[in-house]
Amino acid sequence: MGIPFEGNNLSLFWHGFVQTVLLSGASALLALVLGTLLAACRVSPVPVLRAFGTGWVGVFRNTPLTLLFFAVTFGLPRVDVHLSAFVCAMLALGCYTGSFVCEVLRAGINTVPIGQAEAARSLGMTFGQTLTLVVLPQAGRAVLGPLSSVFIALPRNSAIAGAFNVAELYSVQQTLSEQGYAIFAIFFWIALAYLCISATVGLLFRGLERRLAVGA
Amino acid sequence: MTETTTERPATPLVVLSGVNKSFGAHHVLQDIDLTVHQGEVVVLIGPSGSGKSTLCRTVNRLETIDSGSITVAGSPLPAEGRELARLRAEVGMVFQSFNLFAHKTVLENVVLGQVKVRRTARAEAETKARSLLERVGMAAHADKYPAQLSGGQQQRVAIARALAMDPKVLLFDEPTSALDPEMITEVLDVMRALAAEGMTMVVVTHEMGFARSAANRVLFLADGRIVEENTPEEFFTNPRSERAKDFLSKILHH
């Protein structure tokens, strides 16, 4: 059972762990920015933007993540865009997760009473100001719970990147089983590492919920 | 005309002419003509569904109109966009449900518009916010969140928030309809003080006492039309239309 503490394994594990954290972090950032922009599109008064947001969510939320990895990794080189495996994985994960973030935020926006936006507009705020200063901060607070589920799913989804040449946590499993270690023992340690990441994300969100709770 | 209107130079501030508006088949505003002069307090009363709230909301284009024209301080209401945002900053609005920003403190509520819309320096905006809160008797609650306040307190903060923009005209859309009776007075007192200071106000209300004591003019709306327009004294003691007589008889004897 003590696989990580044999030979060079600890550094192998550590490297994979760091790659997973980096990949998840970068994708989470992309997903958050993209998701917010998409949500803004979906509630904007401009029909073209609304259609764009709806289309994006329709495509990326309904496509299997593995297929998206394929599309990015093998599709982009065809149009002469050459990116590292890490960046490809980040794009696939970010675009996929972004569509979920968008839908969660949109649900949150719908919970904010219309009067909040009317008050903002009546003070002379533009659509962008109304959204970023008044509506989204309240929408975000309302959906921290579901949002944390999306961001806990992200590091686990990132395991697919292991099959696309990113030396992350899950790919460590391949290396180790080639070295002849017992498969269940390997999976135990890898699962434990994923659990650490997910639990940390969960804790972060719970802390955020406590900090942002509005006095009442 | 009454003395109060002849004292003031009658500069038209808000002018509605031939305004029509329908929600589907329901014709809520029918050929509305209305001129509000600077410093005037116009009270809109009427049964529910008469269109008075809608009329009030068309003035800062929270409600669009189907035909006719609305001008504020001489310029017609622009279409949606930055121009309209600029105009809205000049037209304050107080809502029935207060609509204070729930995630901001009382002080922040009054500061936000100044800093983000007027681009006032933060320190200056806070000083102004505190003095406005003082004026509405809410200075002691500056650091609380809206949910920690009573309805009357929230509404007074909402008035301070609107005043912070130095509006040319203030619109009140049933400002006391969501309040307990004892809180109504504290809000009406603030509004009376504003009226006495010469603020131009358009007030939709069911508070006949306020209409009597603070209004220069009372407009009675029914079924989307201005049925009667008079001084408060004349309107309440000697209503001309049957519709107004009927309405007053239902609300005044209790």
Side-chain angles (χ1 to χ4, degrees):
Chain A
M1 276 307 273
I3 303 169
F5 311 106
E6 289 171 26
N8 222 6
N9 291 353
L10 192 60
S11 90
L12 188 70
F13 250 103
W14 178 245
H15 182 73
F17 183 80
V18 169
Q19 282 295 300
T20 290
V21 169
L22 285 179
L23 177 59
S24 303
S27 314
L29 207 65
L30 176 63
L32 195 64
V33 172
L34 195 64
T36 310
L37 288 175
L38 287 169
C41 283
R42 294 208 70 175
V43 298
S44 101
V46 184
V48 180
L49 292 180
R50 278 205 303 274
F52 172 75
T54 313
W56 183 288
V57 170
V59 169
F60 283 89
R61 199 172 54 153
N62 297 330
T63 309
L65 185 52
T66 315
L67 267 182
L68 286 181
F69 268 91
F70 261 110
V72 174
T73 313
F74 302 112
L76 288 181
R78 293 227 170 167
V79 288
D80 245 7
V81 179
H82 300 279
L83 302 169
S84 71
F86 183 89
V87 174
C88 283
M90 184 192 79
L91 284 178
L93 275 168
C95 293
Y96 176 79
T97 311
S99 66
F100 286 89
V101 171
C102 163
E103 288 306 277
V104 169
L105 277 180
R106 197 165 66 92
I109 289 171
N110 290 335
T111 69
V112 179
I114 184 80
Q116 294 285 313
E118 285 189 346
R121 286 158 73 203
S122 79
L123 285 178
M125 288 187 198
T126 58
F127 172 77
Q129 287 178 319
T130 301
L131 201 62
T132 55
L133 297 172
V134 175
V135 177
L136 276 177
Q138 296 186 56
R141 278 172 174 77
V143 294
L144 273 178
L147 216 49
S148 81
S149 300
V150 170
F151 284 112
I152 284 173
L154 175 57
R156 294 184 285 117
N157 288 337
S158 78
I160 296 175
F164 291 86
N165 275 331
V166 180
E168 47 71 80
L169 194 50
Y170 187 73
S171 72
V172 171
Q173 167 265 134
Q174 250 170 329
T175 317
L176 289 178
S177 52
E178 275 161 19
Q179 290 175 16
Y181 288 106
I183 196 80
F184 282 112
I186 299 170
F187 273 97
F188 170 78
W189 286 106
I190 287 178
L192 197 68
Y194 274 110
L195 186 69
C196 285
I197 298 174
S198 302
T200 309
V201 175
L203 277 176
L204 273 175
F205 268 93
R206 231 181 302 160
L208 214 56
E209 259 177 84
R210 251 200 303 274
R211 234 187 58 140
L212 294 181
V214 161
Chain B
M1 279 273 111
T2 57
E3 273 185 349
T4 44
T5 44
T6 47
E7 275 171 13
R8 297 189 179 103
T11 321
L13 193 54
V14 179
V15 180
L16 288 81
S17 61
V19 168
N20 278 282
K21 160 99 188 166
S22 300
F23 289 120
H26 184 38
H27 200 168
V28 276
L29 295 179
Q30 305 185 28
D31 300 316
I32 300 285
D33 294 306
L34 168 64
T35 302
V36 181
H37 297 97
Q38 193 158 2
E40 199 179 14
V41 177
V42 173
V43 168
L44 305 177
I45 62 177
S48 20
S50 59
K52 54 194 190 309
S53 275
T54 309
L55 176 57
C56 186
R57 289 162 57 88
T58 59
V59 177
N60 67 354
R61 210 170 183 275
L62 280 183
E63 216 67 77
T64 55
I65 56 174
D66 299 337
S67 66
S69 77
I70 300 177
T71 63
V72 174
S75 31
L77 285 192
E80 206 72 43
R82 281 179 192 281
E83 282 287 298
L84 180 63
R86 253 194 294 280
L87 178 125
R88 281 187 177 134
E90 309 291 333
V91 180
M93 179 128 196
V94 176
F95 300 87
Q96 178 175 354
S97 46
F98 330 129
N99 297 345
L100 289 181
F101 304 132
H103 62 308
K104 299 269 184 200
T105 62
V106 163
L107 186 71
E108 279 298 312
N109 264 278
V110 187
V111 163
L112 194 65
Q114 298 184 66
V115 171
K116 298 295 178 182
V117 177
R118 294 285 193 217
R119 305 283 169 201
T120 312
R122 183 149 197 109
E124 197 184 322
E126 282 196 15
T127 312
K128 184 173 181 180
R130 288 193 193 279
S131 85
L132 284 168
L133 288 172
E134 185 77 55
R135 189 163 150 196
V136 298
M138 288 298 295
H141 303 277
D143 296 323
K144 290 189 180 168
Y145 284 93
Q148 295 167 305
L149 304 177
S150 75
Q153 291 175 323
Q154 289 189 54
Q155 195 60 298
R156 285 185 283 148
V157 174
I159 293 174
R161 176 175 69 177
L163 287 174
M165 306 303 287
D166 294 318
K168 293 195 171 89
V169 52
L170 266 183
L171 309 171
F172 292 84
D173 185 7
E174 302 203 25
T176 58
S177 297
L179 297 177
D180 290 342
E182 57 179 335
M183 292 170 188
I184 291 176
T185 322
E186 66 189 51
V187 171
L188 290 183
D189 285 346
V190 170
M191 290 169 62
R192 273 198 196 91
L194 283 176
E197 285 162 29
M199 172 61 78
T200 310
M201 293 160 63
V202 176
V203 184
V204 176
T205 188
H206 294 292
E207 292 301 321
M208 299 304 145
F210 175 82
R212 238 180 224 275
S213 64
N216 299 105
R217 217 164 12 127
V218 171
L219 265 65
F220 177 73
L221 270 85
D223 307 319
R225 291 180 187 280
I226 297 176
V227 175
E228 198 164 333
E229 181 175 350
N230 217 328
T231 62
E233 196 50 40
E234 273 296 298
F235 177 78
F236 286 110
T237 52
N238 194 14
R240 291 182 299 238
S241 62
E242 280 308 312
R243 198 73 180 79
K245 279 178 198 161
D246 181 53
F247 177 75
L248 289 174
S249 74
K250 279 177 188 149
I251 59 159
L252 283 185
H253 62 220
H254 67 106

